[in-house]
Amino acid sequence: MSTSSQRPLQGDAALVRAIGVFALAAAVINSTIGGGIFRMPGALAAQVGSAAPLSLVVGAFAIIPIALCFAAAGSRTHATGGPYTYVSVAFGPFLGFVAGALMWISHVASSAGVAASFAQQVANLEPAFGTPGARAAFIIGTYALLFVLNAFGVRLGARAVATLATIKLAPLVLLVLGGLAFVDWSAVSFSPADVPSIGALGGSLVLVMFAYSGMETALVPSGEFSDPAKNVPRATVVAILLVVALYLGLQIVGQGVLGPALATSPIPLADTAGKLFYAGRTLLLATACVSMGGFLLGNLLGSSRLLFALGRDGYLPSIYGRVSASHRVPLMGLATHAGLACFLAVRGSFDALAAVSGGAICVVYGVVALAAWRLQRMGVAERGAPFRMPGGALVPLIAAGIMTAILFTLKGDEWRAIAISLAVLVAVYAVLHALRRGHAPASPPGA
């Protein structure tokens, strides 16, 4: 075998376009239904009481326009990078870098938080994993397995994501379908009059947006999608509609079965299932573990490709823009994302990062909405007929406006954390830009 066949390959042309519409829809669902859904019903009930389902409906009106913007932008720009690529093409490299780097930091934090919660769920099933040493060993082993699954090619990673999405969805769908018959509808309200305050509704929407987020991770490996002009819009919109319907059903069943106890339950879905049928609590705890494992796998698959895109474009060392010769995957991106998330998971917890991560995602979503409008106005269409949003700028402006409104509900500490993160990112960009200019070859005479 020749030496050249073993040499790492560079750029999007080295990637394999093996992710079809079903695998992409499964990836969006898998990246969205992670750890948040197993905690969200109780948290929403604690914030807005019986009107918690209203928060999910309002959140749906926010996330559906965002999904349309992602579908439009993703059908027009096909290079790996997701929001980083969309914003770079629309507004230039600086805003693209900020969007991409902020999204990656948010995803590292969310991956670490879900992994920490994953370890806690496992400890509820098997108390031996509750000790600090066993917990750390479990988290490290989890990330090692996730790395191996992704390192052997995008097809294996995508199939594993699709399989885990199917396994975890079945018990959740059954809980909704079986639980609706036992709902006490007096405990469920869609009336704005039952919302304690505008501030409570705004705070709940930050949590809802965090729970609805995930499509941006699944759409990062654009360079590995087959027929993205058709498959990205179909997969994105269908997946988000299914997620909204499932979340709303789970909230209604949880409130209608547990009543006021939902607001104080640390494992609301498991407690709901346990009240409905024998062994339901154990089944939902196991489902939570599968769900979180699937989320972590999808998060690693997508976020490692974001590092690949930053390396490809010179914002990180060039090694990040290379893929392995044997399986065509960005090993450096996989190792970096898994290693950092593993370190944070061993040391931290999910709760402290949720609001900041949700706020950061809202910033990214708002910028992507504006990028989708600009890409459509510019007529960018890299491969095939792109998805065209109806109403011109109407949908993107609505989406960006909703994200801005949600951001104004953040607390001072959360704003400061996001502002500090953005300041650090700008400094990193400035340093890398200066280094690239310093190492640029001299212009030829007469140029």
Side-chain angles (χ1 to χ4, degrees), residues 197-219:
S197 68
I198 294 297
L201 179 62
S204 71
L205 287 178
V206 174
L207 179 61
V208 168
M209 294 309 300
F210 181 83
Y212 280 159
S213 67
M215 68 181 127
E216 70 284 350
T217 307
L219 292 176

Side-chain angles (χ1 to χ4, degrees), residues 249-313:
L250 290 170
Q251 186 72 41
I252 290 172
V253 170
Q255 286 190 210
V257 171
L258 293 182
L262 178 68
T264 58
S265 172
I267 46 173
L269 294 189
D271 284 343
T272 301
K275 193 168 182 179
L276 287 175
F277 59 96
Y278 178 75
R281 186 176 184 273
T282 301
L283 175 62
L284 261 292
L285 282 174
T287 301
C289 292
V290 173
S291 178
M292 292 176 184
F295 169 84
L296 293 173
L297 182 63
N299 179 281
L300 181 57
L301 174 68
S303 296
S304 62
R305 271 60 174 184
L306 180 55
L307 290 178
F308 165 84
L310 292 170
R312 174 199 65 200
D313 295 343

Side-chain angles (χ1 to χ4, degrees), residues 9 13 68 101 128 143 217 227 252 427 438 447:
L9 305 176
L68 291 173
Y143 276 104
T217 307
D227 197 1
I252 290 172

Side-chain angles (χ1 to χ4, degrees), residues 59-363:
F61 280 104
I63 200 64
I64 290 175
I66 292 293
L68 291 173
C69 291
F70 268 89
S75 70
R76 291 177 179 275
T77 59
H78 304 150
T80 293
Y84 157 69
T85 299
Y86 311 156
V87 178
S88 294
V89 174
F91 297 117
F94 173 69
L95 285 180
F97 172 80
V98 171
L102 182 59
M103 186 178 73
W104 179 67
I105 290 173
S106 173
H107 289 171
V108 169
S110 65
S111 176
V114 170
S117 182
F118 187 18
Q120 185 178 23
Q121 297 285 336
V122 170
N124 283 330
L125 288 171
E126 178 48 66
F129 286 99
T131 65
R135 175 183 179 274
F138 174 79
I139 292 172
I140 293 170
T142 297
Y143 276 104
L145 177 60
L146 295 173
F147 176 85
V148 169
L149 285 173
N150 274 286
F152 281 96
V154 67
R155 285 190 177 93
L156 178 59
R159 288 170 185 166
V161 167
T163 300
L164 289 172
T166 302
I167 292 173
K168 74 181 178 184
L169 279 177
L172 296 177
V173 171
L174 288 175
L175 178 60
V176 172
L177 296 179
L180 285 174
F182 299 93
V183 168
D184 176 7
W185 290 96
S186 66
V188 180
S189 174
F190 290 90
S191 172
D194 291 326
V195 177
S197 68
I198 294 297
L201 179 62
S204 71
L205 287 178
V206 174
L207 179 61
V208 168
M209 294 309 300
F210 181 83
Y212 280 159
S213 67
M215 68 181 127
E216 70 284 350
T217 307
L219 292 176
V220 168
S222 308
E224 293 157 284
F225 295 161
S226 62
D227 197 1
K230 290 183 179 179
N231 290 342
V232 169
R234 292 174 181 174
T236 303
V237 174
V238 169
I240 288 298
L241 290 175
L242 290 174
V243 167
V244 169
L246 179 61
Y247 279 18
L248 187 58
L250 290 170
Q251 186 72 41
I252 290 172
V253 170
Q255 286 190 210
V257 171
L258 293 182
L262 178 68
T264 58
S265 172
I267 46 173
L269 294 189
D271 284 343
T272 301
K275 193 168 182 179
L276 287 175
F277 59 96
Y278 178 75
R281 186 176 184 273
T282 301
L283 175 62
L284 261 292
L285 282 174
T287 301
C289 292
V290 173
S291 178
M292 292 176 184
F295 169 84
L296 293 173
L297 182 63
N299 179 281
L300 181 57
L301 174 68
S303 296
S304 62
R305 271 60 174 184
L306 180 55
L307 290 178
F308 165 84
L310 292 170
R312 174 199 65 200
D313 295 343
Y315 298 119
L316 289 177
S318 60
I319 191 173
Y320 282 96
R322 299 172 187 167
V323 298
S324 60
S326 55
H327 297 290
R328 306 290 184 89
V329 294
L331 290 177
M332 192 64 183
L334 288 171
T336 300
H337 189 79
L340 181 57
C342 180
F343 173 78
L344 293 173
V346 169
R347 296 177 61 87
S349 65
F350 177 83
D351 291 342
L353 301 171
V356 173
S357 182
I361 286 299
C362 286
V363 174

Side-chain angles (χ1 to χ4, degrees), residues 384-403:
F387 170 70
R388 190 170 187 85
M389 289 179 293
L394 182 62
V395 172
L397 289 177
I398 290 174
I402 293 174
M403 293 302 103

